[in-house]
Amino acid sequence: MNRWYFWVSAVRLAFGQLMANKMRSLLTTLGVVVGVASVTAVIAVLSGLKTKVLAEFETFGASRVFIFPDRPDGVPNNRFGWSDIRLKPHEVEELRDKWPSVKAITPVTDLEATIESETERLDGVSVTGIWPDWHACESRKVIEGRPFNRIDEESVRQVCLVNESAVQELSLVGNPVGQTILINGRRYLIVGIVETIQSRMFGMGGPTAEVFVPFSVADKLQQSRRYFIRVSAMLKSPELAEEAKSEARYLLRRMRGLTAEDPDTFRVEAIDQYIDQFKSLASGITAVAGGVVGISLLVGGIGIRNIMLVSVSERTREIGLRKAVGATPGAIMAQFLLEAVALSFVGGFVGIGIGRLMALGVASIPDAGLEQVYVPFWAVLMSFGFCAVVGIVFGFFPAMKASRLDPIEALRHE
Amino acid sequence: MIRIRDLHRIYRVGVEEIHALRGVSIDIGRNEMVAIMGASGSGKSTLMNTLGCLDRPTSGTYELDGKEVSKMSSTELAHVRNEMIGFVFQSFELLSRQSALANVELPLVYSRKSLSPKARIAMAEEALGRVGLSDRMDHTPSQLSGGQTQRVAIARALLNSPRILLADEPTGNLDSQTTEDVLRLFRSLHAEGQTIIIVTHENDVASYCQRVIRLRDGQVIADCPAHEDEGVRLAGGAR
């Protein structure tokens, strides 16, 4: 067959057919439009989210490791009591001295306290006890004054750091460094101000007042002697995450005298785990969206199939004529498959356009933190791929029907 | 050119069998102009469909230009139709949205030959020239008269220089003046060496041919030169 000319004519005919039935074609492809538009929008939002979250993890630092107390699964609840599980200050000190892969480590403990300035009184403010190494573990800048030092820690000095929100909420006038505030009625000297960061994810909730005190001070402020401690540490380099985790497990298990059969009574996590978690969450959402899209593509495909059947019966005489002048069954089949794919592509094209508009709409929602929403190129390719498949799969039956028409019958068709 | 031996064609409609052709044997030579006649139900349409390779006989042989075509697959038959047969239909069968030129070019879409766009257009223009429509190439069928429309269809049939031009009631939808034009066109094509088979039930039309084959109940009942055919003689004799 004179392939090139045949395909050129087939494409021309397919689009001519679409143009001749504009409204019908558009309505037919509605299912495909909806399917492709929704998958495009979902992928756009997820891509934007991923970029943003990964960027946030980056600023968090990819080199961070955390240790939490954790009751192991699969053992009776009374097997390990809280006192067995709880991280204790002396354990953290031993980790600091013996953990080779980390360069900075700090225990972190939170409590709520009442804070007072000359004019304001705030209840339930978050007070966090930290070692001076905290500054190396968290990327939180001290923008005024100085960070904590070892003397603050070792001498249990009544000093604190506050964030900018706390300065505002306490209505401190002038330079807050050097002023004093009351924490649970006792007087502390503000030695520095740390920047306020947005609460971690997606900008939910406004900034809140935070106060930091030396860990030794927090130890005294805690009501209970069995308070919660977690550990935050900074790796010497990001590649050491796995090693650091096994080292920590080894050290802690030995400290706690756990035998080979005993499960871990703590949990060591590196930032990469969170990234993995987010990625699996994102692919979960993608899968669900994929299912929804699958259903609408199915509906769209059935629409295409029906309209192609209508087209075949409307053009029976034309098919008869084409066969009479030498169109093989294969050529007729190819022609109608191409028409179904063209219909589907039109749907895909419109769908991607609408999907992009939807994505732009989402991106422009203020404060949602989704400014980075975009439609990746692979999503466009994938959409067209799906459309081609839908066109071929659902166009197959009508095309088959057309190709098998008896030319004599077809020419006699009224 | 055409050699048909003991052709049978049986249709099954439900449990009933319709014996449309019952042992037809015909030879048609190069550059003949033949009319196939018969009442409806005589089998003439079935014979024409078989001659045109649109249908396969139930039994018997059909040799077209030395090729046995009665056992070919539908794809092979499509190629034979494309390369060896030109059809002219009663109702023209032109694509209404396409120009005359594009309509004439249609068989080339399905041609196995590779032709440049220029060559294709030249072929179509030449075919339109042969039917005297060089000045109507860009007109769509709705902008042409009935006679012109049929001439476009004839140009399409001539495009691939077919061995046989097969016309099925070519004048059935035309008035007497344009019928005359079209038949004169057939006659001049015949004079140029074209083999032509016309299926008709009009003696007037048959009288333009050299030879008349009459069918009844699926069998050939008369096969003689037109001037000897009684029906044709009564209609005014062979011209």
Side-chain angles (χ1 to χ4, degrees), chain B residues 1-17:
Chain B
M1 172 71 77
I2 288 176
R3 195 181 139 91
I4 281 174
R5 285 295 173 272
D6 197 25
L7 212 62
H8 286 261
R9 180 69 171 97
I10 301 168
Y11 296 105
R12 281 196 183 77
V13 182
V15 289
E16 215 178 330
E17 286 193 348

Side-chain angles (χ1 to χ4, degrees), chain A residues 2 5 317 321-323 325, chain B residues 81-82 93 105 110-111:
Chain A
N2 180 359
Y5 183 48
R317 281 182 85 97
L321 168 73
R322 287 175 184 276
K323 290 195 152 190
V325 301
Chain B
R81 291 196 295 271
N82 187 251
E93 306 297 345
E105 255 189 72
Y110 304 106
S111 169

Side-chain angles (χ1 to χ4, degrees), chain B residues 133-192:
Chain B
L133 284 178
S134 295
D135 54 341
R136 293 283 189 278
M137 292 193 283
D138 298 326
H139 291 55
T140 59
S142 61
Q143 296 167 318
L144 296 170
S145 71
Q148 288 171 332
T149 309
Q150 191 58 303
R151 280 193 282 162
V152 172
I154 293 168
R156 179 180 65 197
L158 291 173
L159 184 77
N160 269 342
S161 316
R163 306 289 193 288
I164 330 167
L165 186 65
L166 205 53
D168 182 13
E169 304 279 6
T171 58
N173 282 1
L174 299 176
D175 59 40
S176 54
Q177 183 53 49
T178 45
T179 295
E180 190 113 333
D181 291 346
V182 165
L183 289 173
R184 256 194 234 115
L185 175 59
F186 276 129
R187 189 168 257 194
S188 69
L189 292 172
H190 174 235
E192 289 167 28

Side-chain angles (χ1 to χ4, degrees), chain A residues 58 61-65 101 103 234-245 270-272:
Chain A
E58 279 310 310
S63 323
R64 294 180 62 198
V65 181
S101 296
K103 63 178 180 199
M234 177 61 85
L235 296 171
K236 285 181 176 150
S237 82
E239 306 85 67
L240 292 172
E242 286 310 308
E243 275 168 82
K245 280 197 267 184
I271 254 328
D272 57 340

Side-chain angles (χ1 to χ4, degrees), chain A residues 298-316:
Chain A
L298 183 74
V299 173
I302 291 171
I304 287 178
R305 178 178 155 280
N306 289 346
I307 218 70
M308 287 309 295
L309 283 175
V310 169
S311 182
V312 168
S313 81
E314 276 176 354
R315 289 156 67 199
T316 300

Side-chain angles (χ1 to χ4, degrees), chain A residues 32-46 347-363 373-376 379-380 383:
Chain A
V32 175
V33 169
V34 170
V36 171
S38 45
V39 76
T40 307
V42 168
I43 288 175
V45 169
L46 276 180
F349 203 75
V350 175
I352 287 171
I354 293 178
R356 283 194 67 142
L357 285 181
M358 282 160 72
L360 284 178
V362 169
V373 162
Y374 69 101
V375 181
V380 175
S383 297

